[in-house]
Amino acid sequence: MAQKKNVKNMMSERLKSEAADNTGRKIILDMDGMDPQTIYSELKHNYTNMYYNIFKNGFEWEGDINYKEIEFVMKKLWSVGKIAMRPLLANEKIFTDWTRDSYDWYGNPATVMLINEYAAPVSIIPSTPQVVDKDVAIGWIQPNHKALNMTVDWYIKRIAQVDMVINTNLNLQKLPYMIPVDNSNQARLQNIVQRMLNNELFLFVGDADPNLFKAVSTGAPYIIDKLSEYRHGLDNELKTYLGIDNQGGYLNREQQNLDTTNSNNDLINLNKQGYVNELKAWCERCNALGRNFSVKSSTKPVTMVSDTHDNMEE
């Protein structure tokens, strides 16, 4: 019961019309009673989850790897961009993050230190340097060996910022009414306004003065369409980077230049194939250490777009 009461109190606090920041100043709360910073944080969190799910679902794993291991591997590839597999006894294995310990003559990791994130026994994750391709098999998600979220976060922050501006512009388009009242007509005018908000088609209001209902214009320009287009462009760029087909987002394919479309499709395919190639190379190194599993893309490559009209004329 105490837990439910705490949740209720938290919701009550969020729905207050005013709040104070850590300096004691009043801050304006936005939709759902949340302050803008909280909304911005939740937008980023939701978008991160959405794009991670789309990316993760783009791969199929087969062989000796279970769902817990797949989830750990994909999250590490997303967050830090690298992964290690250490074979254990009885045909078991452990996946973990790693850091460089020494380099070979080409600047590649020769020995690595495994990161024991969840306090596994040292017999499982040793605290001593591990020889690459002998003790462990290391891999990456990108050819540049960087984490995905370095770029993903950049786009998500901007998409969330655009959503915030759209919400602000939407609020500015709402035209409030200033209605002067006194004790003699307040209840009657409140009833009229409530009927208007209830979408009544006809209002018979007797001798009420129409001039009482004066809209207050903010004078803010309507830019939601431009902001939405910009946001759509950011979403498309991020999906291209993640190797995800973004052509379904276009309402009218004819609005696109064919060369531009096909160039974008090439980038989608190259990005996705780059991820698949890196993971396949890692799986081969794991297989060389006696642990057999593989990965492949769960989606087909994006096909090139041809000029249907010209082909019909020919």
Side-chain angles (χ1 to χ4, degrees):
M1 293 298 294
Q3 184 177 1
K4 291 183 178 179
K5 183 177 181 180
N6 289 337
V7 172
K8 184 177 180 180
N9 291 339
M10 290 172 61
M11 292 301 297
S12 176
E13 289 296 324
R14 287 177 58 179
L15 293 176
K16 287 183 178 179
S17 60
E18 289 186 341
D21 61 14
N22 54 11
T23 65
R25 295 175 302 177
K26 294 294 184 180
I27 57 176
I28 299 175
L29 299 185
D30 211 305
M31 51 187 177
D32 297 328
M34 294 184 289
D35 64 273
Q37 187 58 45
T38 301
I39 296 174
Y40 178 61
S41 298
E42 291 198 3
L43 282 171
K44 290 191 297 180
H45 179 73
N46 291 337
Y47 280 127
T48 299
N49 288 337
M50 181 185 74
Y51 286 111
Y52 171 76
N53 289 341
I54 296 174
F55 176 77
K56 179 178 180 292
N57 291 336
F59 298 90
E60 290 184 5
W61 295 82
E62 299 175 342
D64 183 23
I65 184 169
N66 61 46
Y67 73 96
K68 292 181 180 179
E69 294 169 332
I70 292 173
E71 186 65 28
F72 181 85
V73 168
M74 294 301 293
K75 285 185 176 180
K76 286 301 175 185
L77 293 173
W78 178 271
S79 61
V80 298
K82 53 188 169 56
I83 192 70
M85 188 284 298
R86 179 176 184 263
L88 304 175
L89 298 176
N91 206 34
E92 294 295 328
K93 59 190 177 303
I94 187 69
F95 296 101
T96 184
D97 189 12
W98 55 271
T99 59
R100 293 180 179 88
D101 177 68
S102 67
Y103 299 85
D104 62 19
W105 290 351
Y106 297 102
N108 297 312
T111 59
V112 298
M113 299 296 295
L114 302 182
I115 298 176
N116 195 345
E117 186 175 0
Y118 299 105
V122 293
S123 59
I124 303 298
I125 301 181
S127 57
T128 55
Q130 302 293 294
V131 179
V132 173
D133 294 335
K134 179 182 178 181
D135 300 322
V136 294
I138 62 173
W140 299 266
I141 184 61
Q142 296 193 88
N144 62 11
H145 296 179
K146 303 297 182 182
L148 284 173
N149 69 355
M150 290 180 62
T151 300
V152 172
D153 284 353
W154 186 92
Y155 278 100
I156 286 178
K157 287 178 181 177
R158 277 145 188 83
I159 292 174
Q161 288 170 358
V162 174
D163 277 353
M164 296 289 290
V165 178
I166 287 177
N167 183 64
T168 299
N169 192 253
L170 182 62
N171 286 332
L172 291 175
Q173 302 307 313
K174 299 175 181 178
L175 303 180
Y177 282 84
M178 300 290 290
I179 306 175
V181 298
D182 54 38
N183 292 334
S184 65
N185 62 5
Q186 180 175 352
R188 182 164 176 260
L189 292 176
Q190 283 179 339
N191 177 263
I192 293 173
V193 171
Q194 186 60 52
R195 291 165 63 191
M196 292 170 60
L197 295 176
N198 289 337
N199 297 318
E200 289 193 27
L201 185 58
F202 299 103
L203 295 177
F204 300 95
V205 295
D207 57 354
D209 185 0
N211 291 325
L212 289 174
F213 301 87
K214 295 183 181 294
V216 178
S217 175
T218 63
Y222 182 86
I223 57 173
I224 294 178
D225 53 344
K226 295 181 175 62
L227 291 170
S228 298
E229 184 178 351
Y230 174 58
R231 181 191 178 284
H232 181 72
L234 291 172
D235 175 71
N236 277 348
E237 289 180 15
L238 178 51
K239 287 180 178 176
T240 297
Y241 170 73
L242 293 175
I244 301 167
D245 184 6
N246 58 31
Q247 299 307 308
Y250 287 95
L251 297 178
N252 187 353
R253 183 64 62 86
E254 295 177 357
Q255 295 176 351
Q256 298 175 262
N257 178 277
L258 290 179
D259 291 338
T260 302
T261 301
N262 288 328
S263 176
N264 177 73
N265 290 345
D266 284 339
L267 288 175
I268 294 173
N269 292 332
L270 287 172
N271 284 331
K272 183 60 175 292
Q273 194 58 47
Y275 304 142
V276 172
N277 289 345
E278 287 292 327
L279 291 180
K280 283 186 174 181
W282 174 62
C283 289
E284 290 175 0
R285 293 191 287 272
C286 293
N287 294 345
L289 296 183
R291 302 299 180 265
N292 298 312
F293 53 89
S294 61
V295 67
K296 64 180 180 180
S297 174
S298 63
T299 59
K300 296 180 180 178
V302 182
T303 57
M304 298 296 102
V305 179
S306 61
D307 193 333
T308 306
H309 179 71
D310 291 344
N311 291 341
M312 290 178 62
E313 289 182 350
E314 294 176 0

